[in-house]
Amino acid sequence: MVIDGDGTVLAWADGARQLLGHRAEDVVGRPAARLLASRQEGTDAGSCLLPPAHDLTWTEQTGEHEPRPRAVVDVRHRDGRILRLQLEVSALTGADGERYRLLAATDMPDSDARQTAGEPAVRALLDRSPFSVAVWDTRLRCVWLNQASKRTVGLPPGGRPGLLMREALRGFDLAAVEPVMRGVLASGEPVTGHEARWVSPGGGLRSGREVVFSSTLIRLARADGTPLGLCTISTDITQRWTRERMALMSRAARRVGTTLDVMTTAQELTDLAVPALADYATVDLAESVPLGGEPLERMQPGDSGIPVFRRAGLASIHKGAPESAFARGEPVFVPPESPFLHVLHHRESHMEPVMDTGCGSWLAGDPRRARIIRETGMHSVMMVPLMARGTILGIAVFVRTENVAPYSRDDLILAEELAVHAALSLDNARRYTRERAAALALQRTLLPGALSGGNTVELGWRYLPSDRHEGVGGDWLDAIHLPGGRIALVVGDVIGHGINAAATMGRLRTAVLTLAALGLPPAELLVHLDEVATQLTGEASRSGDPALPIVGATCIYAVYDPATRVCTFARAGHPPPLLVSPDGQVTTPDTPAGTLIGVGLGSFESMDVELPEGSLIVLFTDGLIETRNTDIDAGLDRLVTALRRAPSELDDLCSQVIREMATTSKPEDDIALLVARTRVAGPSPHADRPE
């Protein structure tokens, strides 16, 4: 309880009610001496609860004060029982300058009263406790420390605590501790579980012996609410804290960077941080980092500042993330003097344990963001650069709103460790995205923009790039008009993926176009194509450049003559063609398989097939019929079934085949499909069919 200089009870804690049974309304405002029994040991009742002034002298000059243990006293319980208590009295100075006394009491059995009279039970309880207990006045000057607290701050067991917080809390991050203490004093709301990191004197915030404490802060106040001081009770949770941080980093290793997608990786980081480290978190990526398959267009300045970021990750404990002024994918505008740009340019973290939202802060140039901060209660922030391999990719921002504890240096270290892991994953995703975009661009320039069958055949085709690996393969298809009204149909597949596979595909496609112009038969053309690929393989081997892969490809080359209705096939390790008769029968001509292009064996044979008018020639790559879960034969059977139900329009036919054969939304390999409906020379029902 707290009493004033006249002995009147000003505050009555719940612990006192539990001990003595008296409710606060029955005691507060009345003389404390009324609680005492008629007989006391060695002293009168009044002097026990109202010790002489010289016993509680406050020595401002020395800045020291030590509470005095008092004698054992008998106090009457509400039910009439007499309890024997031991008291310890500490002096408090109120906000009005008046002196008060904080009385700490503990019950003790009568049999032990005389034995422990020289060592009050409260001192035995607090001084020998592993908990660090401290009492502070309204100016946050230390009134009392138990032995555990003294050991923490380096005072000798018999030493007296200093008056100033910086002396009593040596080694603590005051920027993280003081705002919480003042907040409890101002609001009266207790805080539990506040974590603070202590570093032994002589060691920096990143070195020396470290201890992490979890503290409960309780305000001591008069009955009218006037604060008298503060009590803090702390316990060492270093081992638990270390386990939790290690668990968080372990989760980061499993949950951040699961895909090679920039947006997904950024969102995984924010989802991990909330609520473990923040109430609200964002990842804003620099303009140089593409968010999708294409590089970003340069963003233009706006009314709110410079758009050097795009929001890629966003998470909040509140539904709808009211803290965010920008949605995912949108440009993020920041004022020229904002800490965002400081982090970006200087590549160092920025932390505000207590956010500065005053008129002179950087938020003065960003009224929209300032309004959101006030409305959502943001009070502590960390901004951490995302850097990998010497490149800054963006900034991760961590904010607290509901969690009253401000960020500490310890939190910043953890945030930086998470940022390092996330940045490496983001950089991998960025490199993948850029290479995939380059490969797609190269592939688009190398593949034909459109195919035409002229009066020889009617054509339909599809090309689906894979989303696996680098997302770009070496599949290609072509329709080449030859002398005499003939047409060559080509489908090929370079082994491998990525920009090298796309470049090799371009070389082989060019070679086929050149060889086709010579009018070579299909088998002979493949022999010369194999020679070209073998030469490329030799160049790659001699250069020793690992970026130049050994060339290998499959290919099928077919020439259809509308005058004779004969189609000549030759293939090099490629899936066989399928033929669909006008009445819907699907057959597989027994064309010799041949060897891979680039092996150098040059073993190929041609096969002639006479086709009725209106027959379908179906050429494709193995990505259409083969997956990790099915073999080629099973896939070929499914394709035959799909072709039996094919619609008459070739464009619809291609769409239906792709829909039925691509069992997943993301193909495991590139898919190339080329379908030709034969026509005959001269008058025909199909001759005037528009292209």
Side-chain angles (χ1 to χ4, degrees):
M1 64 178 170
V2 179
I3 62 174
D4 63 13
D6 296 330
T8 301
V9 178
L10 302 178
W12 186 258
D14 189 63
R17 180 192 61 78
Q18 296 179 28
L19 181 63
L20 299 178
H22 298 285
R23 298 174 301 175
E25 54 265 35
D26 298 332
V27 179
V28 173
R30 300 180 181 178
R34 296 179 57 181
L35 299 172
L36 299 176
S38 58
R39 175 182 173 275
Q40 303 300 320
E41 294 191 7
T43 184
D44 63 88
S47 64
C48 290
L49 294 180
L50 303 175
H54 63 78
D55 281 346
L56 294 172
T57 301
W58 194 290
T59 310
E60 296 284 354
Q61 290 79 6
T62 63
E64 297 178 348
H65 172 69
E66 183 72 16
R68 305 276 181 139
R70 304 305 300 166
V72 175
V73 297
D74 291 335
V75 179
R76 190 176 301 279
H77 192 276
R78 187 181 184 186
D79 61 10
R81 290 182 291 119
I82 295 178
L83 301 179
R84 181 150 293 185
L85 308 179
Q86 291 198 35
L87 297 179
E88 184 165 338
V89 185
S90 300
L92 297 175
T93 301
D96 53 4
E98 294 186 22
R99 302 292 176 83
Y100 305 94
R101 293 175 177 84
L102 170 67
L103 277 65
T106 184
D107 189 12
M108 62 177 300
D110 290 345
S111 60
D112 296 333
R114 295 185 182 274
Q115 180 181 352
T116 59
E119 179 180 332
V122 70
R123 182 176 296 277
L125 173 65
L126 298 180
D127 278 355
R128 296 181 180 180
S129 170
F131 300 103
S132 297
V133 183
V135 179
W136 313 79
D137 68 8
T138 54
R139 285 176 281 183
L140 294 185
R141 297 182 302 183
C142 185
V143 173
W144 182 80
L145 293 173
N146 73 342
Q147 295 300 327
S149 292
K150 291 178 181 178
R151 287 192 298 270
T152 298
V153 299
L155 290 175
R160 296 185 177 184
L163 286 175
L164 301 178
M165 176 189 293
R166 66 186 62 195
E167 297 174 0
L169 294 180
R170 287 184 297 173
F172 283 93
D173 183 4
L174 295 183
V177 175
E178 183 176 359
V180 179
M181 297 178 71
R182 295 196 181 279
V184 173
L185 271 176
S187 67
E189 292 294 329
V191 169
T192 60
H194 171 63
E195 293 184 4
R197 180 168 168 265
W198 174 82
V199 181
S200 60
L205 282 170
R206 299 179 187 268
S207 62
R209 187 170 67 88
E210 301 178 4
V211 181
V212 180
F213 288 95
S214 177
S215 301
T216 297
L217 297 87
I218 305 171
R219 187 177 78 173
L220 305 171
R222 300 178 61 174
D224 60 3
T226 304
L228 298 175
L230 190 71
C231 179
T232 58
I233 306 170
S234 306
T235 183
D236 183 351
I237 61 166
T238 305
Q239 292 184 350
R240 189 190 77 187
W241 178 89
T242 302
R243 289 195 300 268
E244 290 176 351
R245 265 43 179 186
M246 291 179 64
L248 183 62
M249 291 303 300
S250 177
R251 292 200 301 273
R254 297 192 308 269
R255 294 170 48 184
V256 178
T258 59
T259 68
L260 288 174
D261 179 76
V262 172
M263 294 288 284
T264 300
T265 301
Q267 187 60 39
E268 287 171 343
L269 174 58
T270 57
D271 289 341
L272 178 75
V274 176
L277 184 61
D279 297 328
Y280 164 64
T282 61
V283 169
D284 299 330
L285 297 181
E287 185 182 28
S288 59
V289 180
L291 300 189
E294 299 292 340
L296 298 178
E297 297 182 0
R298 186 163 186 84
M299 295 179 285
Q300 300 300 317
D303 296 337
S304 301
I306 305 171
V308 291
F309 303 105
R310 283 190 188 269
R311 182 138 297 168
L314 170 64
S316 171
I317 62 173
H318 300 110
K319 185 178 181 180
E323 304 93 337
S324 181
F326 308 97
R328 290 185 70 208
E330 289 185 349
V332 176
F333 294 87
V334 296
E337 302 301 325
S338 75
F340 289 91
L341 295 182
H342 177 85
V343 173
L344 185 66
H345 296 321
H346 294 274
R347 303 187 175 196
E348 60 183 18
S349 300
H350 172 83
M351 181 176 71
E352 293 183 33
V354 179
M355 293 181 66
D356 182 8
T357 58
C359 297
S361 70
W362 66 274
L363 288 169
D366 194 345
R368 180 188 180 192
R369 192 178 265 108
R371 175 181 56 79
I372 293 176
I373 289 174
R374 289 192 299 270
E375 291 177 351
T376 58
M378 300 186 203
H379 63 86
S380 191
V381 64
M382 297 185 296
M383 301 178 184
V384 180
L386 296 168
M387 293 189 299
R389 303 178 179 95
T391 301
I392 185 161
L393 307 177
I395 295 177
V397 181
F398 307 91
V399 180
R400 280 181 174 167
T401 55
E402 301 299 327
N403 188 339
V404 299
Y407 282 121
S408 64
R409 299 284 182 182
D410 169 66
D411 294 317
L412 181 60
I413 292 173
L414 177 60
E416 290 174 341
E417 291 175 351
L418 290 174
V420 168
H421 174 81
L424 290 174
S425 298
L426 282 169
D427 189 53
N428 290 336
R430 175 182 70 101
R431 289 167 178 259
Y432 160 78
T433 301
R434 287 194 166 185
E435 181 168 342
R436 183 174 186 272
L440 283 171
L442 176 62
Q443 188 182 55
R444 281 195 296 268
T445 62
L446 297 177
L447 286 172
L451 298 179
S452 172
N455 294 324
T456 306
V457 294
E458 178 188 356
L459 291 179
W461 61 290
R462 287 290 187 277
Y463 184 88
L464 274 71
S466 167
D467 281 340
R468 294 183 64 212
H469 309 290
E470 289 83 359
V472 178
D475 292 17
W476 87 93
L477 42 78
D478 226 331
I480 307 168
H481 290 275
L482 303 175
R486 297 174 302 153
I487 191 169
L489 306 174
V490 187
V491 173
D493 182 4
V494 174
I495 297 173
H497 295 81
I499 196 167
N500 291 319
T504 301
M505 175 270 289
R507 288 179 168 185
L508 295 183
R509 177 173 180 258
T510 301
V512 171
L513 289 171
T514 303
L515 294 171
L518 300 177
L520 299 175
E524 187 177 347
L525 183 143
L526 291 182
V527 170
H528 289 290
L529 182 64
D530 181 58
E531 293 174 351
V532 172
T534 303
Q535 183 178 0
L536 294 176
T537 300
E539 293 176 358
S541 300
R542 288 190 296 272
S543 69
D545 186 353
L548 296 176
I550 303 300
V551 176
T554 68
C555 183
I556 184 168
Y557 186 83
V559 175
Y560 174 68
D561 187 346
T564 61
R565 293 185 290 108
V566 172
C567 186
T568 304
F569 297 93
R571 60 188 177 110
H574 201 84
L578 293 180
L579 302 177
V580 184
S581 65
D583 61 0
Q585 298 297 315
V586 182
T587 58
T588 305
D590 189 18
T591 54
T595 59
L596 288 176
I597 297 294
V599 175
L601 297 179
S603 177
F604 309 104
E605 297 181 33
S606 296
M607 178 180 180
D608 294 338
V609 179
E610 184 176 349
L611 301 174
E613 181 182 3
S615 298
L616 297 182
I617 304 170
V618 182
L619 309 180
F620 49 89
T621 56
D622 58 2
L624 182 67
I625 59 175
E626 184 180 26
T627 67
R628 286 176 294 177
N629 300 321
T630 59
D631 59 19
I632 290 181
D633 291 337
L636 194 60
D637 291 341
R638 291 177 53 236
L639 178 58
V640 169
T641 301
L643 290 173
R644 286 173 181 158
R645 302 191 303 268
S648 59
E649 293 295 329
L650 294 190
D651 190 66
D652 294 339
L653 181 151
C654 291
S655 297
Q656 176 176 305
V657 167
I658 294 296
R659 185 168 55 251
E660 294 188 19
M661 297 300 297
T663 56
T664 62
S665 59
K666 297 182 178 181
E668 298 179 6
D669 197 1
D670 285 14
I671 294 176
L673 172 65
L674 179 62
V675 181
R677 176 179 282 123
T678 61
R679 296 171 177 169
V680 297
S684 163
H686 304 286
D688 297 327
R689 181 176 298 185
E691 297 298 333

